[in-house]
Amino acid sequence: ILILLLCISFFSCQNTTSEKVSKNEKEANYVEENYDKTETTITMRDGIKLFTTIYTPKDKSKTYPILLQRTPYSAKPYGANKFKKSIAPNKHLMQEGNIVVYQDVRGRWMSEGVYDNMRAYIPNKKDSTQIDESSDTYDTIDWLIKNVEHNNGNVGIWGISYPGFYSTYATVDAHPALKAASPQACIGDFFFDDFHHNGAYLLSYFMATPLFGTPKDTPTDSSWYKFPDLKSKDMYQFFLDAGPLKNLDKYFEYEQLDKPNIETSEKVTDFFWKELKEHPNYDSVWQSKGIIQHLKNVKPHVATMVVGGEFDAEDLYGPLETYKTIEKHNPTNYNTLVFGPWSHGQWASTKETNSVGNYYFGDSISLNYQAQIETKFFNHFLKGTGDKNSGLPEAYVYDSGKKEWNSYDSWPPKNTSKVAYYLGDSQKLTTLKEKETAIQFISNLKKPVPYTEDIKIVFTPRKYMTDDQRFAARRSDVLVFETEVLENDITLAGDILAKLQVATTGTDADWIVKVIDVHPSDIEENNENMQKHLKLSNYHLMVRSEVMRGKFRNSFIHPEPFIPNKKTAVNIKLQDVHHTFKKGHRMQIQVQSTWFPLIDLNPQTFVDNIFEANAEDFKNQTHTVFTSSSIEFSVLN
Ligand code: PG9
């Protein structure tokens, strides 16, 4: 009997394995079995040829919309007999049949031309020598509908992150055939997305910085650079030991990077690192790259669905500002928002469970979005009536506290009111404004506050935004303000405005505000966390956080020093949330001045350019927060 049981289990295991292999293989071969692939170049109005890959359903008995993605990350695999494992924004759109097109943007990978990192838009172009990503998209769409067989004349564009930026760009001076655009985790402005937050440089983006850094006139294989000798290091200690940003220059010289195809004898500084260093303020270089400013005249034939992650560590500003700006300036357009419990681009995941970092939100959240929201959006506008009755809500937003989706007819919802909570004495967070007192802490640049307790402080962290923050609450250089245990639910829906009254013995300082949901100690565990041996008891979930580099408190263009020991107002807008602080939980605010190595260290002495600061500029200072400071929440009525 034992031998028989062993045989049964052996063969059933074999079947499972072979089934699994065949399932994976089948999925991998689905595109090859059901699509024809062609590779071509499309000539732009200035003569530059952009490499374009076209996947067309083998069933030529009908016509199909074109789904387009323009990317700096490559349209590979290259070669007519090499197929992507999956195409289209999701498997439903792949399996229903669409013509799917991927294009290397100008200057990247197989396309000709010179790459320009977030190329500035040129309004009222005079002639065909004036090009930008809007004209490249227009020329691409025009060629596709005239030359690709079996297309139905309707084009959609989508993309996550940088491809999301190109999707937003496509809506500017849009081609008449563009009927649906879905910018997702889209970069809006590099001074507030990815590399900077309110003027602080995201040191955590150090490794991603050279991604686009090749000199404008150098063809590049666009590979992500690797800093082989750094990956295994303790990033907190590495950056602390490195000292001022200028000591990192050596990592951005091409001799230091695996750039075998660049013939150069002298050291060539990475173009983007150079751009970051030479433009520490929100000057014309950064301003010209922002796409948000150009969304004031999106043509009504372009339906937009903007998608963002509530815990997106890279592009949170972008999706929210893209949706809000289109809504504000084009109120009659079909423009909608999806904002869910995701990290950067996580809604494209095919995983069954949805957690961000250590925090579990539920099962099938991404899968349901793909099947019921994204597929419905593109089908309605590219294959359906294309009218405004898509059956989808204006704003489909996830309450990260109640762990449920809500549909709203506007975002933020109309039925909210601004409620101020004051940073009171003895760690109280209260709606009562009390007599002003001062709370001080020493900001020690030799022991900056870590942004996470997870020692695997990684390059380009994407999951830290839900990391437990109780470790920080226990530090003397983190001020903590907390409500009593809540007797009723409080639901936030919209942005948060921190109105700090501060002082410092120095002449510059960073101010970081974190909004924390303190879970009760007796909270029931969910089995997902139990499987990961995670305890929700007393979990300090960071619902939202933001930094303001103090020199930019009044202007991102004209920075100003602090006057030592003078009470000064510092206002910080924290990006939108939709979160219910449930009865039995506590609302907590943490205020600190370092956030390392997520952001670089502020010398706490005013210097014109922190990228050029010297070691002696970095000084410990004593900071003060006055209890007249308040946090203004958008509370759902
Ligand atoms: N927004 C993301 C990014 C931009 C630039 C450098 C690295 C990452 C993204 O495109 O994923």
Short mmCIF file of all heavy atoms in Angstrom, two decimals, residues 148-181:
data_model
loop_
_atom_site.label_atom_id
_atom_site.label_comp_id
_atom_site.label_asym_id
_atom_site.label_seq_id
_atom_site.Cartn_x
_atom_site.Cartn_y
_atom_site.Cartn_z
N VAL A 148 -1.13 49.96 -41.42
CA VAL A 148 -1.29 48.65 -40.77
C VAL A 148 -2.62 48.04 -41.19
O VAL A 148 -3.68 48.64 -40.97
CB VAL A 148 -1.21 48.79 -39.22
CG1 VAL A 148 -1.52 47.45 -38.55
CG2 VAL A 148 0.16 49.30 -38.81
N GLU A 149 -2.57 46.88 -41.78
CA GLU A 149 -3.81 46.25 -42.27
C GLU A 149 -4.71 45.84 -41.11
O GLU A 149 -4.22 45.56 -40.00
CB GLU A 149 -3.44 45.00 -43.11
CG GLU A 149 -2.79 45.36 -44.44
CD GLU A 149 -2.53 44.12 -45.30
OE1 GLU A 149 -2.53 43.00 -44.74
OE2 GLU A 149 -2.34 44.29 -46.52
N HIS A 150 -6.02 45.81 -41.39
CA HIS A 150 -7.04 45.33 -40.43
C HIS A 150 -7.18 46.21 -39.20
O HIS A 150 -7.67 45.75 -38.18
CB HIS A 150 -6.72 43.88 -39.99
CG HIS A 150 -6.49 42.95 -41.13
ND1 HIS A 150 -7.52 42.55 -41.97
CD2 HIS A 150 -5.35 42.39 -41.61
CE1 HIS A 150 -7.01 41.76 -42.90
NE2 HIS A 150 -5.70 41.64 -42.72
N ASN A 151 -6.75 47.48 -39.28
CA ASN A 151 -7.04 48.34 -38.12
C ASN A 151 -8.37 49.03 -38.33
O ASN A 151 -8.77 49.30 -39.46
CB ASN A 151 -5.89 49.32 -37.89
CG ASN A 151 -5.94 50.58 -38.74
OD1 ASN A 151 -6.73 51.47 -38.46
ND2 ASN A 151 -5.14 50.60 -39.78
N ASN A 152 -9.06 49.32 -37.21
CA ASN A 152 -10.42 49.90 -37.33
C ASN A 152 -10.41 51.41 -37.24
O ASN A 152 -11.46 52.04 -37.06
CB ASN A 152 -11.35 49.29 -36.25
CG ASN A 152 -11.04 49.83 -34.85
OD1 ASN A 152 -10.07 50.59 -34.67
ND2 ASN A 152 -11.83 49.41 -33.87
N GLY A 153 -9.22 52.03 -37.30
CA GLY A 153 -9.11 53.49 -37.33
C GLY A 153 -9.07 54.11 -35.95
O GLY A 153 -8.92 55.33 -35.81
N ASN A 154 -9.21 53.30 -34.89
CA ASN A 154 -9.18 53.84 -33.52
C ASN A 154 -7.88 53.42 -32.83
O ASN A 154 -7.48 52.25 -32.91
CB ASN A 154 -10.37 53.31 -32.71
CG ASN A 154 -11.68 53.86 -33.23
OD1 ASN A 154 -11.71 54.96 -33.82
ND2 ASN A 154 -12.75 53.10 -33.06
N VAL A 155 -7.26 54.37 -32.15
CA VAL A 155 -5.98 54.10 -31.47
C VAL A 155 -6.11 54.43 -29.99
O VAL A 155 -6.74 55.43 -29.61
CB VAL A 155 -4.85 54.94 -32.09
CG1 VAL A 155 -3.53 54.72 -31.36
CG2 VAL A 155 -4.69 54.60 -33.58
N GLY A 156 -5.55 53.52 -29.18
CA GLY A 156 -5.43 53.77 -27.74
C GLY A 156 -3.95 53.79 -27.40
O GLY A 156 -3.13 53.18 -28.09
N ILE A 157 -3.60 54.52 -26.34
CA ILE A 157 -2.21 54.52 -25.87
C ILE A 157 -2.21 54.30 -24.38
O ILE A 157 -3.12 54.76 -23.67
CB ILE A 157 -1.47 55.82 -26.27
CG1 ILE A 157 0.04 55.70 -25.99
CG2 ILE A 157 -2.09 57.04 -25.57
CD1 ILE A 157 0.86 56.79 -26.68
N TRP A 158 -1.23 53.55 -23.90
CA TRP A 158 -1.15 53.29 -22.45
C TRP A 158 0.31 53.11 -22.08
O TRP A 158 1.18 52.94 -22.94
CB TRP A 158 -1.95 52.05 -22.06
CG TRP A 158 -1.13 50.80 -21.94
CD1 TRP A 158 -0.65 50.22 -20.80
CD2 TRP A 158 -0.63 49.96 -23.03
NE1 TRP A 158 0.09 49.08 -21.09
CE2 TRP A 158 0.13 48.91 -22.44
CE3 TRP A 158 -0.76 50.02 -24.41
CZ2 TRP A 158 0.76 47.92 -23.21
CZ3 TRP A 158 -0.14 49.04 -25.18
CH2 TRP A 158 0.60 48.01 -24.58
N GLY A 159 0.58 53.22 -20.79
CA GLY A 159 1.94 52.98 -20.32
C GLY A 159 2.06 53.27 -18.84
O GLY A 159 1.26 54.04 -18.30
N ILE A 160 3.02 52.62 -18.22
CA ILE A 160 3.26 52.78 -16.77
C ILE A 160 4.58 53.50 -16.58
O ILE A 160 5.58 53.12 -17.17
CB ILE A 160 3.28 51.41 -16.06
CG1 ILE A 160 1.88 50.78 -16.08
CG2 ILE A 160 3.78 51.55 -14.62
CD1 ILE A 160 1.81 49.39 -15.49
N SER A 161 4.56 54.55 -15.79
CA SER A 161 5.74 55.30 -15.41
C SER A 161 6.25 56.14 -16.58
O SER A 161 5.50 56.97 -17.09
CB SER A 161 6.79 54.35 -14.87
OG SER A 161 7.63 55.05 -14.01
N TYR A 162 7.43 55.86 -17.07
CA TYR A 162 7.91 56.65 -18.21
C TYR A 162 6.99 56.46 -19.44
O TYR A 162 6.55 57.43 -20.06
CB TYR A 162 9.34 56.26 -18.56
CG TYR A 162 10.23 57.46 -18.75
CD1 TYR A 162 11.40 57.62 -18.03
CD2 TYR A 162 9.88 58.45 -19.66
CE1 TYR A 162 12.21 58.75 -18.22
CE2 TYR A 162 10.68 59.55 -19.86
CZ TYR A 162 11.84 59.69 -19.12
OH TYR A 162 12.63 60.81 -19.30
N PRO A 163 6.63 55.26 -19.77
CA PRO A 163 5.63 55.07 -20.84
C PRO A 163 4.30 55.73 -20.49
O PRO A 163 3.54 56.14 -21.38
CB PRO A 163 5.50 53.56 -20.94
CG PRO A 163 6.83 53.04 -20.50
CD PRO A 163 7.27 53.98 -19.40
N GLY A 164 4.05 55.93 -19.21
CA GLY A 164 2.87 56.67 -18.79
C GLY A 164 2.99 58.14 -19.14
O GLY A 164 2.04 58.78 -19.60
N PHE A 165 4.19 58.67 -18.98
CA PHE A 165 4.48 60.06 -19.38
C PHE A 165 4.25 60.25 -20.87
O PHE A 165 3.63 61.23 -21.31
CB PHE A 165 5.93 60.37 -19.00
CG PHE A 165 6.55 61.53 -19.71
CD1 PHE A 165 6.19 62.84 -19.39
CD2 PHE A 165 7.49 61.34 -20.71
CE1 PHE A 165 6.75 63.92 -20.03
CE2 PHE A 165 8.07 62.42 -21.37
CZ PHE A 165 7.69 63.72 -21.03
N TYR A 166 4.69 59.24 -21.67
CA TYR A 166 4.47 59.36 -23.13
C TYR A 166 2.99 59.25 -23.47
O TYR A 166 2.52 59.82 -24.46
CB TYR A 166 5.31 58.31 -23.88
CG TYR A 166 6.79 58.57 -23.79
CD1 TYR A 166 7.64 57.76 -23.04
CD2 TYR A 166 7.37 59.67 -24.43
CE1 TYR A 166 9.00 58.02 -22.93
CE2 TYR A 166 8.73 59.95 -24.33
CZ TYR A 166 9.53 59.12 -23.57
OH TYR A 166 10.88 59.40 -23.46
N SER A 167 2.24 58.53 -22.64
CA SER A 167 0.78 58.45 -22.87
C SER A 167 0.13 59.80 -22.60
O SER A 167 -0.74 60.25 -23.35
CB SER A 167 0.15 57.39 -21.97
OG SER A 167 0.75 56.14 -22.17
N THR A 168 0.57 60.45 -21.53
CA THR A 168 0.04 61.80 -21.24
C THR A 168 0.40 62.75 -22.39
O THR A 168 -0.43 63.50 -22.89
CB THR A 168 0.67 62.35 -19.94
OG1 THR A 168 0.43 61.45 -18.88
CG2 THR A 168 0.10 63.72 -19.60
N TYR A 169 1.64 62.65 -22.84
CA TYR A 169 2.16 63.53 -23.91
C TYR A 169 1.31 63.36 -25.19
O TYR A 169 1.09 64.32 -25.93
CB TYR A 169 3.61 63.14 -24.20
CG TYR A 169 4.53 64.31 -24.46
CD1 TYR A 169 5.72 64.44 -23.74
CD2 TYR A 169 4.26 65.26 -25.43
CE1 TYR A 169 6.61 65.49 -23.99
CE2 TYR A 169 5.14 66.29 -25.70
CZ TYR A 169 6.31 66.41 -24.98
OH TYR A 169 7.19 67.44 -25.23
N ALA A 170 0.84 62.13 -25.42
CA ALA A 170 0.08 61.85 -26.66
C ALA A 170 -1.22 62.63 -26.70
O ALA A 170 -1.79 62.88 -27.77
CB ALA A 170 -0.22 60.35 -26.74
N THR A 171 -1.73 63.04 -25.50
CA THR A 171 -3.02 63.75 -25.47
C THR A 171 -2.84 65.22 -25.85
O THR A 171 -3.83 65.93 -26.04
CB THR A 171 -3.65 63.69 -24.07
OG1 THR A 171 -2.86 64.49 -23.15
CG2 THR A 171 -3.72 62.26 -23.54
N VAL A 172 -1.60 65.69 -25.95
CA VAL A 172 -1.33 67.09 -26.31
C VAL A 172 -1.25 67.18 -27.83
O VAL A 172 -0.46 66.47 -28.45
CB VAL A 172 -0.02 67.57 -25.66
CG1 VAL A 172 0.26 69.02 -26.01
CG2 VAL A 172 -0.05 67.39 -24.15
N ASP A 173 -2.08 68.03 -28.46
CA ASP A 173 -2.16 68.11 -29.93
C ASP A 173 -2.41 66.71 -30.51
O ASP A 173 -1.71 66.26 -31.44
CB ASP A 173 -0.86 68.69 -30.53
CG ASP A 173 -0.53 70.06 -29.97
OD1 ASP A 173 -1.46 70.70 -29.44
OD2 ASP A 173 0.63 70.47 -30.01
N ALA A 174 -3.38 66.02 -29.92
CA ALA A 174 -3.59 64.59 -30.24
C ALA A 174 -4.05 64.39 -31.67
O ALA A 174 -4.81 65.19 -32.22
CB ALA A 174 -4.62 64.00 -29.28
N HIS A 175 -3.62 63.27 -32.23
CA HIS A 175 -4.07 62.86 -33.56
C HIS A 175 -5.57 62.54 -33.48
O HIS A 175 -6.01 61.97 -32.49
CB HIS A 175 -3.29 61.62 -34.01
CG HIS A 175 -3.52 61.24 -35.45
ND1 HIS A 175 -4.67 60.61 -35.86
CD2 HIS A 175 -2.75 61.42 -36.55
CE1 HIS A 175 -4.61 60.43 -37.17
NE2 HIS A 175 -3.47 60.91 -37.62
N PRO A 176 -6.37 62.83 -34.50
CA PRO A 176 -7.82 62.57 -34.43
C PRO A 176 -8.17 61.10 -34.22
O PRO A 176 -9.24 60.78 -33.71
CB PRO A 176 -8.34 63.08 -35.77
CG PRO A 176 -7.16 63.41 -36.62
CD PRO A 176 -6.00 63.59 -35.71
N ALA A 177 -7.27 60.20 -34.54
CA ALA A 177 -7.57 58.76 -34.37
C ALA A 177 -7.33 58.30 -32.93
O ALA A 177 -7.72 57.19 -32.56
CB ALA A 177 -6.70 57.93 -35.32
N LEU A 178 -6.71 59.19 -32.12
CA LEU A 178 -6.45 58.79 -30.74
C LEU A 178 -7.74 58.93 -29.95
O LEU A 178 -8.23 60.04 -29.71
CB LEU A 178 -5.34 59.65 -30.11
CG LEU A 178 -4.95 59.22 -28.68
CD1 LEU A 178 -4.29 57.84 -28.69
CD2 LEU A 178 -4.02 60.26 -28.04
N LYS A 179 -8.33 57.80 -29.52
CA LYS A 179 -9.64 57.87 -28.86
C LYS A 179 -9.56 57.52 -27.37
O LYS A 179 -10.53 57.73 -26.62
CB LYS A 179 -10.60 56.88 -29.54
CG LYS A 179 -10.73 57.10 -31.03
CD LYS A 179 -11.47 58.39 -31.34
CE LYS A 179 -11.53 58.71 -32.83
NZ LYS A 179 -11.93 57.63 -33.70
N ALA A 180 -8.42 56.91 -26.95
CA ALA A 180 -8.32 56.50 -25.53
C ALA A 180 -6.87 56.56 -25.10
O ALA A 180 -5.99 56.04 -25.79
CB ALA A 180 -8.85 55.08 -25.35
N ALA A 181 -6.64 57.23 -23.97
CA ALA A 181 -5.27 57.31 -23.42
C ALA A 181 -5.34 56.96 -21.94
O ALA A 181 -6.21 57.47 -21.22
CB ALA A 181 -4.71 58.71 -23.62
#
